[in-house]
Amino acid sequence: MIRWLSAAIDGQDRGRLEEAFRWLYTFVRPQSKAIMGLMLLSVFASALVLLQPWLTKLLIDEGLLAKDYGMLVTMAVAMIFVGIISTGLSGINRYLHTRLSGKILFSLREHLYEHLQTLSPQFFGGRRTGDILSRLDGDVSQIQRFAVDSMFSALSSVLGLVGALALLVTLSWKLSLLVLVLIPLEILWLRWMRRKVERQARIIRERSADLSSFLVETLPAMKFIQAVSQEKRESHKLNRLSNSYLTDLLKLQVTEFFTQAVPGTLTSLTRATAFLIGGYWVIEGQWQLGSLIAFSTYLGMATGPVQSLLGLYVAIQRMSVSLDRVMDLHRAEPDITTPEQPASLADDMRGEISFDRVSFSYQGRNEPILHHATTVFPAGASIALTGPSGVGKSTVIDLLMRYYDPEQGRILIDGVNLKQLDRKSTRLNSSHITISYAVLCLKKKKTRPETKPQSKKPSSLTSRLASQIPRLHSVCVLR
């Protein structure tokens, strides 16, 4: 099935698609028992749907036209009974389906969220928050709908198609030949349209992400926008994004309309032809009226599943866009890894932190933030970091928390390299150390831009800090 799904999608790497589908169905397999139960309900419900037109045929031919009141009452009661059961099954099916869909949806979203938690701040710095939200919300929902709904839609369509074709042949094998003309035409049309749908669906997902990103980025900054009197400018931006989204959405709606309208028109023509031929047979006494009505109903039941099955091509194209966007998040590798056999800190750890010739720079910046920085923060000391913006105060804390690793050099806690420790325990202990040391990040307006931390002699700044922090031992100035 995975290979068939991959082959149905145009313009993407087959191997990567198969990998994506295997990953997706790891969330479906744990729900296999619930899926099998729903499938059995779908089989029973499909049988009841196929039974109703046949009951109508018997009511007309064996009851009304035969003037058999007993048969008329029997068929009417049978139709009421089948209708009540079908309604009850529909409600149960909808409830169980919603529960199954929710479990898979939330499992997908939670897995991606946990994966995002392993990525460094650098990953989030290079992504728009609105785009990530769009992938976690809209794209994941689109994938879940396909992963669950497509299975039950395919099963119901296959059962409906096979059952309807069998009953059509039973009623009239000659008129059933019309289906052999209809189906190939619908297949050719939908195969031709699916690329257009896929391309425009991808554009719509990107436009939606642009809108989400704009709102996420501007709403928290509304105070600043108002301060610089840029309200109209931002409103114009939102208007342009909205117009672009609406334009592309209308294009997609037109494409999807013609995708469904042509097969629908062909179905209507086929049913009209069946009525003309079958009606002539009824008038000539060669066929019964109930059989004609039942045949027309089953013809609609046969063409409906064909459109649903072929419509899966269109659904696959739309889903592949969302799957590709979600897999982009899933494939992002964590920059910080934990060794297979991590070292551990002693229970009575002292908490001495050492920077040994540490160098670090951010992507996109030519000059390093820290260059061969060497210093020791004694255990139990209270230290204040001070310096102008951008010299590395926050970077020092980020390196201690292992949001990043140094490009060169080592950071040691009680002589143990941070890279050898478990990432989670390191952050837990580092957060405790950070609070214990009462690290205070201050800013000075005028200093020379250097990257190496240096210890300064006591000054008026030290005296002021000492008056505010009684346990302050020293001030480390980053220049």
Side-chain angles (χ1 to χ4, degrees), residues 278-298:
Y280 176 77
W281 291 348
V282 171
I283 292 173
E284 293 295 320
Q286 302 175 14
W287 212 24
Q288 293 179 312
L289 176 61
S291 297
L292 174 61
I293 295 174
F295 185 91
S296 174
T297 304
Y298 285 128

Side-chain angles (χ1 to χ4, degrees), residues 4-12 17 21 139 142-143 146 150 190-205 252 255-256 259 309-325:
W4 179 84
L5 288 172
S6 302
I9 298 175
D10 299 316
Q12 295 193 31
L17 278 173
F21 280 119
D139 289 316
Q142 182 75 24
I143 293 169
F146 176 82
S150 63
L190 290 173
R191 283 181 62 87
W192 184 67
M193 291 296 292
R194 67 179 186 178
R195 293 186 181 182
K196 299 178 183 296
V197 173
E198 187 272 337
R199 183 173 60 252
Q200 293 183 4
R202 182 179 295 274
I203 294 173
I204 284 296
R205 296 306 308 165
L252 178 61
T255 302
E256 290 187 336
T259 301
L309 289 171
L310 295 176
L312 286 177
Y313 279 107
V314 177
I316 289 172
Q317 306 311 314
R318 299 191 67 169
M319 185 278 306
S320 68
V321 176
S322 295
L323 183 60
D324 183 56
R325 285 165 52 83

